[in-house]
Amino acid sequence: MNQILPRGTGALFAGGMEACWMVGGLRLLETRAAAGALPVPWVMIGLPLAFTLWRLTRALSPFLRLAAGLAGGVVWALVLITFCAFPVDALPEPAWVAGPAGRLFQRQGAPNPIQLTALAAVATWVGGLRLATMRVGFDRLLSEFQFGLPILLFIFFCAAQWDAVLPAPGTVVFAFFTFFLLGMAAARGGDAGGWLRGRMRARWLAALVFNTALVLGVGLMLTAAVTPEALKLALGCLQALWDTMVEWVVWFIAFLARLIPAPEMKTYPMGGGAGPAPQAPSAIADIMQIPDYVRRVAAFIVAAFWIVLFGVCLWRMASQIAAWLRRQMNDLDGAEVETLRGAFRQDVRRLLIRVLRRLRGWITWLGYALGRRPMTDLLPAEAAAVRRLYRRLLAWSAAGGCPRARHQTPHEFLGRLCDRLPEARTKLTLITEHYAGVRYGGRRPDADLVKLLESTWQDVRHMRKRSGIQPKRTIQERE
Amino acid sequence: MHAPRPLDIQTAAERFTSNVGRVIVGRSESVELIFIALLCEGHVLIEDVPGMGKTLLARATARSLDGSFKRIQCTPDLLPSDVVGLHFFNQKLSEFEFRPGPVMANVVLVDEINRAMPRTQSCLLESMQERQVTVDLKTVCLPRPFILMATQNPIELEGTFPLPEAQLDRFLLKLRLGYPTPQDEFGVLDRYQQDNPMDRLESVIGTAELLALQALARGTLIAEPVRRYIVAVTRATREHPDIRLGGSTRSALGLQSASQALATCRGRDYVLPDDVKSLAVPVLSHRIILKTEARLKERTEEDILREILDSVPVPTE
């Protein structure tokens, strides 16, 4: 199913998709920030250059290869800003040597086109290096598509918001989908049941062209349908919905506030005259006042935090959907499709059962939070402590990229954990053995043993920190 | 004799394994499984192609126990009375006298069981489950411990009668020996070069000791979560889309007792989910029936059971 493509072919399709959204982004940057001074075609040359350099230096050691790649990027950025940002006829003048460096680090008027060019050159170079190091197969192409499509949408959304006119957006989208579809066809082409080898091999090109035309047609229709007015209407609806929700929340808070008894009004004796003169603000108050620029920076940080959080949420959801799709497609590899009576009903039933289980978990947690003691609290304190310690071990290993699968027994999980952290084998075995004794054997450990396990657990944690081992995740775990 | 402890079971297991190992080279896992069946007083079905040592393993097991041993060679003309016994008229005494069949022994080897006719196979049902036989309205209890070891050849189908589900369900374990490794095969040639080590094999476990060990194994703690796990695994066999007939309640009971025995063999007085997982395939594989679609996909009972074990959540934190 996941056939790895040859290095050049894979890079062509993945790089093509990458180049599409890069071009879109650079065009937007050029329109908004560089006032048309960004040499986008030249910048994009960095992508194949970096790829070629990385491939050519494969005989070097990894360190030298990395150094060569980074040095190549720096050189490429310098060359680009020197030869593209300055007219050729100015090259003989001695000022051009110091000019780019000076403008590169110029703080006034930042970001200037030179800085943007350097940034774009470095970004494309890194993209090229990334292309050269990855092995492109079906799953990688799917990931690239999953990665590139939201970026493209984000770029077009920003362009619509800023009223920026991007040159040939339809072409970029068409190229993006073309690279994706061709890449998918190539990745599936080598399969035994694929189009290139199956009975339909005579028609795969027609099917591919049909698919491409379909995507293009749907894209054109969407382009025609999604006008700025339609977008404004949709945004207006969203805004109205949001306002309604806010109104409801405000109304609810006001309703709650009405339930609180109002403070009694106190009467104060009316004084004559204008009263005492207002005091001048003290110097301490001036010091305690937060400057405006600090407020602005804080507001920016908070906004950035929320944007990143939102982006991570979106990315996480998209990853889950893509992983599910990949699993489904892997399961379908070589399968003959037939209709199963009641399959949909069964799927819905399973989904409902899972939702109910999750709900039950939340209710249990809520009960625990509200003071209802779970079963573990009926255990002796030491046994409960051992179980809590093992739960911490599980959470810790899951956070480190080694979660326990639901079907794994503690000893099976121990083997897996020891593979990741071999120097802690003895300590992990001690914890697991005692946990198994408590959980399955009804053992009642004494306080000394709990202390020993606690110290062992702390040793394991510090051992991990000292060794700085990052868990090596397998493909299955990533999925 | 002092009351046995888990350590005694571990020692007895080592004694038994090493004794049988004098005759059977390699196969330590199969020998351990047979010892587990002895501890549970469960019956064992050994299935493999000819020449893999099925009968030899059964004979070595019987020889290692200090009890009576009988062998039944199944043929298509074998009658139930040849197995359970019959009443014959003693002309001297002028009365009917019961002549017990070969099933009246502590260890019974039923060789090539699938060559016997269904009516003969069925006469073993009562003895396997209730440890008694009924002949002419007279019920006779079998000696304890009673362990039946049957062998069958899955390749030759002509002149054979597949075992009914009711009978398969009465076997605690099903073993497949498989081909030995080249090193083990060389060891067999080396060991059997001069003489047959079976001739020198002695018993290492008495029947009274075995009964005591069985009682001890039954007392092994099996916590509620582990019992629920056994139920979940058994139920999963009934709900799997590739299985036509899932495991019975008897299979869940068998899995429980076998897990207890395995835990004691490993020196523990409580059962772990690992014990259940390691025994699920030999205990359940012969009790489930796959759908035709699954067979056409060349899926085996072992594959499906491993898939089930990889999907049922283990009770832990």
Side-chain angles (χ1 to χ4, degrees), chain A residues 376 387 390-391 394 404 406-412 433 435-437 439-443, chain B residues 221-223 225-226 229 269-274 277 309-317:
Chain A
T376 51
R387 289 181 62 171
Y390 191 73
R391 275 200 292 272
L394 289 181
R404 186 189 74 87
R406 294 171 69 219
H407 63 82
Q408 277 182 324
T409 65
H411 285 87
E412 287 171 345
E433 289 292 343
Y435 167 73
R439 183 79 169 96
Y440 307 114
R443 295 277 190 274
Chain B
L221 172 69
I222 178 160
V226 183
Y229 179 61
D269 59 353
Y270 58 91
V271 178
L272 289 177
D274 304 76
K277 281 183 107 170
L309 291 174
D310 284 347
S311 65
V312 176
V314 170
T316 177
E317 299 305 314

Side-chain angles (χ1 to χ4, degrees), chain B:
Chain B
M1 195 177 71
H2 66 90
R5 296 163 298 167
L7 194 62
D8 295 335
I9 291 192
Q10 218 175 346
T11 317
E14 285 167 9
R15 265 186 288 145
F16 178 81
T17 312
S18 62
N19 196 54
V20 176
R22 289 165 60 191
V23 178
I24 304 290
V25 183
R27 324 283 194 194
S28 55
E29 287 181 10
S30 302
V31 177
E32 189 190 24
L33 285 174
I34 286 182
F35 187 71
I36 286 166
L38 292 180
L39 286 180
C40 304
E41 206 177 357
H43 312 297
V44 183
L45 176 64
I46 309 173
E47 183 183 271
D48 219 318
V49 293
M52 290 294 108
K54 302 185 291 292
T55 310
L56 190 67
L57 178 60
R59 285 177 58 210
T61 302
R63 190 71 72 85
S64 299
L65 295 178
D66 182 21
S68 54
F69 169 66
K70 293 281 172 58
R71 173 184 173 143
I72 305 169
Q73 184 65 50
C74 292
T75 53
D77 58 351
L78 187 75
L79 294 174
S81 56
D82 297 334
V83 175
V84 297
L86 76 165
H87 283 99
F88 73 100
F89 187 73
N90 190 332
Q91 290 186 339
K92 278 187 184 173
L93 302 173
S94 295
E95 62 180 13
F96 280 96
E97 194 175 308
F98 179 65
R99 177 185 290 167
V103 78
M104 304 280 180
N106 292 121
V107 180
V108 179
L109 167 61
V110 184
D111 207 14
E112 305 268 4
I113 188 172
N114 55 344
R115 290 194 182 280
M117 283 189 300
R119 58 185 294 210
T120 312
Q121 290 175 2
S122 300
C123 76
L124 290 168
L125 293 178
E126 185 186 3
S127 57
M128 288 174 78
Q129 179 61 29
E130 294 159 45
R131 266 97 183 164
Q132 64 181 29
V133 291
T134 304
V135 184
D136 293 340
L137 302 178
K138 186 181 175 189
T139 302
V140 181
C141 289
L142 298 178
R144 303 297 289 270
F146 172 71
I147 292 135
L148 187 142
M149 301 178 74
T151 67
Q152 73 170 353
N153 174 7
I155 300 297
E156 290 176 31
L157 297 176
E158 195 159 346
T160 62
F161 304 91
L163 294 183
E165 291 311 313
Q167 186 150 29
L168 281 174
D169 201 37
R170 282 166 166 76
F171 283 103
L172 177 70
L173 300 172
K174 179 176 155 184
L175 304 183
R176 280 203 177 118
L177 299 177
Y179 286 107
T181 61
Q183 198 175 358
D184 287 346
E185 204 153 22
F186 178 76
V188 172
L189 298 184
D190 192 39
R191 199 167 295 179
Y192 283 78
Q193 188 184 3
Q194 299 289 337
D195 58 348
N196 190 348
M198 177 66 94
D199 300 336
R200 301 191 304 275
L201 210 61
E202 295 170 354
S203 65
V204 290
I205 297 176
T207 50
E209 186 187 0
L210 183 60
L211 287 173
L213 294 178
Q214 284 173 354
L216 181 64
R218 276 196 296 274
T220 306
L221 172 69
I222 178 160
E224 186 193 335
V226 183
R227 291 204 302 271
R228 288 191 186 282
Y229 179 61
I230 291 175
V231 172
V233 170
T234 313
R235 290 189 69 82
T237 61
R238 298 169 196 159
E239 293 165 1
H240 196 280
D242 284 343
I243 296 180
R244 185 156 60 88
L245 180 70
S248 60
T249 307
R250 189 191 282 134
S251 69
L253 282 169
L255 189 53
Q256 175 174 272
S257 56
S259 304
Q260 287 176 303
L262 179 61
T264 49
C265 281
R266 293 185 177 166
R268 264 183 280 110
D269 59 353
Y270 58 91
V271 178
L272 289 177
D274 304 76
D275 302 326
V276 179
K277 281 183 107 170
S278 57
L279 284 168
V281 172
V283 170
L284 293 173
S285 64
H286 58 289
R287 303 176 199 249
I288 61 174
I289 301 178
L290 300 190
K291 285 184 181 169
T292 314
E293 296 91 328
R295 292 204 180 282
L296 289 174
K297 287 181 202 166
E298 297 183 349
R299 304 197 72 187
T300 61
E301 288 86 355
E302 286 80 5
D303 296 338
I304 305 274
L305 283 172
R306 288 203 182 90
E307 189 181 307
I308 287 172
L309 291 174
D310 284 347
S311 65
V312 176
V314 170
T316 177
E317 299 305 314

Side-chain angles (χ1 to χ4, degrees), chain A residues 279-333:
Chain A
Q279 292 180 348
S282 65
I284 296 174
D286 283 345
I287 291 170
M288 296 300 288
Q289 197 172 15
I290 301 172
D292 278 348
Y293 67 91
V294 174
R295 286 173 191 276
R296 278 202 298 274
V297 170
F300 175 77
I301 290 172
V302 170
F305 170 75
W306 282 111
I307 289 171
V308 168
L309 195 64
F310 185 66
V312 167
C313 286
L314 281 180
W315 174 252
R316 180 82 182 142
M317 286 165 66
S319 302
Q320 293 286 329
I321 292 169
W324 179 80
L325 270 175
R326 274 199 293 269
R327 275 200 302 273
Q328 296 294 320
M329 296 186 78
N330 279 331
D331 289 345
L332 285 175
D333 189 22

Side-chain angles (χ1 to χ4, degrees), chain A residues 248-403:
Chain A
W248 285 356
V249 171
V250 169
W251 176 84
F252 185 66
I253 292 171
F255 171 74
L256 289 179
R258 278 207 301 275
L259 298 179
I260 301 170
E264 291 180 6
M265 295 295 288
K266 289 185 179 176
T267 54
Y268 294 95
M270 297 291 288
Q279 292 180 348
S282 65
I284 296 174
D286 283 345
I287 291 170
M288 296 300 288
Q289 197 172 15
I290 301 172
D292 278 348
Y293 67 91
V294 174
R295 286 173 191 276
R296 278 202 298 274
V297 170
F300 175 77
I301 290 172
V302 170
F305 170 75
W306 282 111
I307 289 171
V308 168
L309 195 64
F310 185 66
V312 167
C313 286
L314 281 180
W315 174 252
R316 180 82 182 142
M317 286 165 66
S319 302
Q320 293 286 329
I321 292 169
W324 179 80
L325 270 175
R326 274 199 293 269
R327 275 200 302 273
Q328 296 294 320
M329 296 186 78
N330 279 331
D331 289 345
L332 285 175
D333 189 22
E336 291 180 3
V337 179
E338 60 177 343
T339 54
L340 289 176
R341 190 176 294 173
F344 177 73
R345 194 176 60 231
Q346 198 174 9
D347 281 351
V348 172
R349 187 171 145 263
R350 282 181 185 165
L351 176 70
L352 286 176
I353 287 172
R354 291 190 68 171
V355 169
L356 286 175
R357 277 184 189 159
R358 183 60 62 91
L359 200 63
R360 193 179 63 187
W362 288 341
I363 290 170
T364 309
W365 180 84
L366 199 64
Y368 178 76
L370 293 175
R372 189 181 156 204
R373 294 284 174 260
M375 291 300 287
T376 51
D377 283 359
L378 298 177
L379 293 170
E382 289 81 9
V386 173
R387 289 181 62 171
R388 272 200 304 277
L389 191 143
Y390 191 73
R391 275 200 292 272
R392 293 211 307 260
L393 171 67
L394 289 181
W396 171 77
S397 60
C402 182

